[in-house]
Amino acid sequence: MESRPIRGIKADAPYFQAMFRTRLANRLQALGYDIRKTKDDFEITGVPERTIKEFSRRTTLIEKTADLLGIKKPETKAKLGATTREPKKEGQTWDSLVRGWEDRVTLRERHAIHETVAHKEIPSPNSPTPLPLTGQCGTASSAPPSSQNGNW
């Protein structure tokens, strides 16, 4: 069987990312979360704006770096992600990660998040129900762009 070239997979990355984001949004809605569409993605309604910004520091850093360098093209900005990434901290436990995340939100933000998620029914991870995909990505039967050119 012929293997697919890596560049074909890379070329289809935006398609697969859009499929993932659409499926995630659909699953969150099925669990009872309200979401709001943003320019390129979505956010869970009820999560405070400051919290969203606090946990979007990489995007902010990339945007600031792009502005400083005069970069406007999204493709070039995407490449900045690899060059601006902070190194991962080795040896962190799950508990220390959670404590670090908790330290980044205020008591008021924590309360707002709790109110957003408190009455949601969380299904068993062993029995997820796939949802039909809708929105910008099409449906589950949609093929990635390169397959439409005979490269799939």
Side-chain angles (χ1 to χ4, degrees):
M1 180 174 175
E2 185 178 318
S3 66
R4 182 164 179 220
I6 295 295
R7 73 182 128 95
I9 294 170
K10 182 67 176 161
D12 289 339
Y15 167 83
F16 288 112
Q17 183 175 13
M19 290 290 285
F20 168 77
R21 301 304 292 176
T22 297
R23 184 172 175 91
L24 177 60
N26 287 343
R27 295 286 289 148
L28 288 167
Q29 288 176 312
L31 292 172
Y33 293 94
D34 293 324
I35 63 169
R36 64 181 172 269
K37 194 169 180 155
T38 62
K39 179 182 167 203
D40 298 316
D41 209 349
F42 68 89
E43 295 170 351
I44 298 173
T45 303
V47 176
E49 188 65 31
R50 198 210 71 84
T51 307
I52 292 169
K53 286 182 181 176
E54 174 64 27
F55 286 89
S56 302
R57 294 185 301 183
R58 252 180 74 59
T59 301
T60 303
L61 176 62
I62 291 168
E63 288 298 328
K64 284 182 181 179
T65 304
D67 285 346
L68 284 171
L69 299 173
I71 296 171
K72 304 284 185 221
K73 290 183 179 179
E75 304 83 24
T76 310
K77 283 184 185 181
K79 291 177 185 176
L80 282 177
T83 61
T84 60
R85 179 171 292 152
E86 295 175 12
K88 294 193 183 271
K89 296 176 184 168
E90 296 294 323
Q92 284 198 347
T93 65
W94 179 254
D95 289 340
S96 70
L97 285 170
V98 171
R99 276 193 305 277
W101 296 329
E102 288 174 343
D103 290 346
R104 291 169 58 188
V105 295
T106 66
L107 187 57
R108 179 174 281 162
E109 290 168 333
R110 194 171 297 143
H111 178 72
I113 293 167
H114 176 75
E115 289 300 310
T116 299
V117 301
H119 305 292
K120 307 305 178 209
E121 191 174 316
I122 307 298
S124 164
N126 298 328
S127 59
T129 304
L131 297 175
L133 298 174
T134 60
Q136 64 181 357
C137 311
T139 65
S141 62
S142 295
S146 70
S147 68
Q148 297 166 4
N149 298 330
N151 297 330
W152 184 252

